[in-house]
Amino acid sequence: MTLQSMTGFARAESSFGRYRIVWELRSVNGKGLDLRLRLPPGLERLEPDVRRLVGEQVTRGNIQASLTLVASETKLEAVLNREALDAVLSLRAELGDVIDPAPLRLDTLLGIRGIVDIREAEESPEEADARDAEILECLARALAHLRQMREQEGAALADVMARQIDRIEELALIVEKDPSRSADEIGRRLQQQVAALLQDHSQSLDPVRLHSEVALLATKADLREEIDRLKAHVAATRDLLGKGGPVGRRLDFLAQEFNRESNTICSKSNSSAVTAAGVELKVVIDQFREQVQNLE
């Protein structure tokens, strides 16, 4: 499966009889799948099928779907009002000895208001079903175009994030290999600090207790766990990017974990080089998370 961005646009047109069918789809970022649908009056019955088709192609994003249905010509029909006609004929019979008994002409009847109603012809159920099927087929093509555009943008985002993950891995290695983390350097620095404390407070500090506290602090300041977790997160992120599909939420969680480890590294750092790497880590992770927000 490929990655999908949550942004995209698609348009598809079709025709059925005298109708022109146009679907327009717009997609932007969203926490879940939110479909805003605009259908012409009288076509509300299509909403369940439209939502089903959208859900089959899209799992996340704010989607605006708009259907335009335009008739190239108006099909009219004449509808006879039987009750009105019967009333006119009854009146004529009643007045037969007063008015001209000649038969009523058609043009005379048509001139009487309410006898004949000229209106747009109604479609048969079969015609309506066939038109609805074409509308949904046109929507399926629009969704295919939208998915293609989202996948193209998703592939571009994947390339950007892959480079960012490479840089995160490089910075983790810089922290791991920094001389300040070597056992000899840590021991030398602690010896200097303990010697200074004992010299200034020789009457008030217990050397044994002091050494114990310093050893405990040194253990807490070690970055081994943070580096190992960064490496694990890098591997998990690469796996998700390679797997594809709707992985945006999981990548967002990993971005938060990356940020947590970088914050800990900066707080524990006792080296300017490690601090600089930690700060750059935070910058790259923020950039990575911004890209993740665009993924399905």
Side-chain angles (χ1 to χ4, degrees), residues 137-292:
E137 177 62 29
C138 184
L139 172 62
R141 292 196 297 272
L143 286 168
H145 296 326
L146 179 66
R147 183 181 181 91
Q148 182 181 19
M149 182 175 183
R150 284 165 52 116
E151 287 178 350
Q152 290 174 348
E153 190 167 336
L157 289 174
D159 290 340
V160 173
M161 289 187 291
R163 291 194 294 271
Q164 291 169 337
I165 289 299
D166 289 343
R167 184 55 181 162
I168 290 173
E169 184 179 47
E170 291 173 0
L171 291 168
L173 291 175
I174 289 175
V175 173
E176 183 178 29
K177 295 179 179 179
D178 189 86
S180 66
R181 295 194 61 255
S182 69
D184 292 341
E185 177 61 21
I186 292 175
R188 185 188 64 79
R189 188 167 56 251
L190 289 177
Q191 286 178 355
Q192 291 178 343
Q193 294 171 350
V194 170
L197 287 171
L198 290 174
Q199 182 177 0
D200 296 338
H201 305 85
S202 58
Q203 301 301 320
S204 59
L205 293 178
D206 178 2
V208 176
R209 177 66 182 274
L210 182 60
H211 279 285
S212 298
E213 293 295 330
V214 170
L216 180 61
L217 290 174
T219 301
K220 290 182 178 180
D222 184 61
L223 300 177
R224 182 72 266 162
E225 290 186 8
E226 287 73 20
I227 294 170
D228 289 342
R229 282 195 290 264
L230 277 177
K231 290 181 177 180
H233 298 335
V234 165
T237 301
R238 285 175 173 158
D239 181 62
L240 288 174
L241 291 175
K243 184 182 300 182
V247 296
R249 286 192 179 93
R250 283 177 284 179
L251 287 173
D252 185 56
F253 171 76
L254 285 172
Q256 296 177 47
E257 294 300 304
F258 277 129
N259 191 59
R260 183 177 292 109
E261 305 307 335
S262 66
N263 285 337
T264 305
I265 287 173
C266 289
S267 65
K268 286 185 175 183
S269 173
N270 51 27
S271 161
S272 59
V274 171
T275 300
V279 170
E280 186 176 350
L281 260 176
K282 291 176 63 65
V283 172
V284 178
I285 290 166
D286 285 343
Q287 295 170 346
F288 174 77
R289 191 172 186 183
E290 287 179 3
Q291 300 299 334
V292 168

Side-chain angles (χ1 to χ4, degrees), residues 16-19 21 41-46 49 67 69 75 121-137:
F16 179 81
R18 61 194 179 96
Y19 291 104
I21 302 166
L43 292 179
E44 292 81 3
R45 63 183 179 277
L46 294 178
D49 288 325
L67 170 64
L69 188 66
K75 185 179 179 181
E122 294 183 358
E123 292 179 315
S124 68
E126 294 77 15
E127 289 175 331
D129 289 344
R131 186 195 60 190
D132 291 352
E134 182 60 33
I135 289 174
L136 295 176
E137 177 62 29

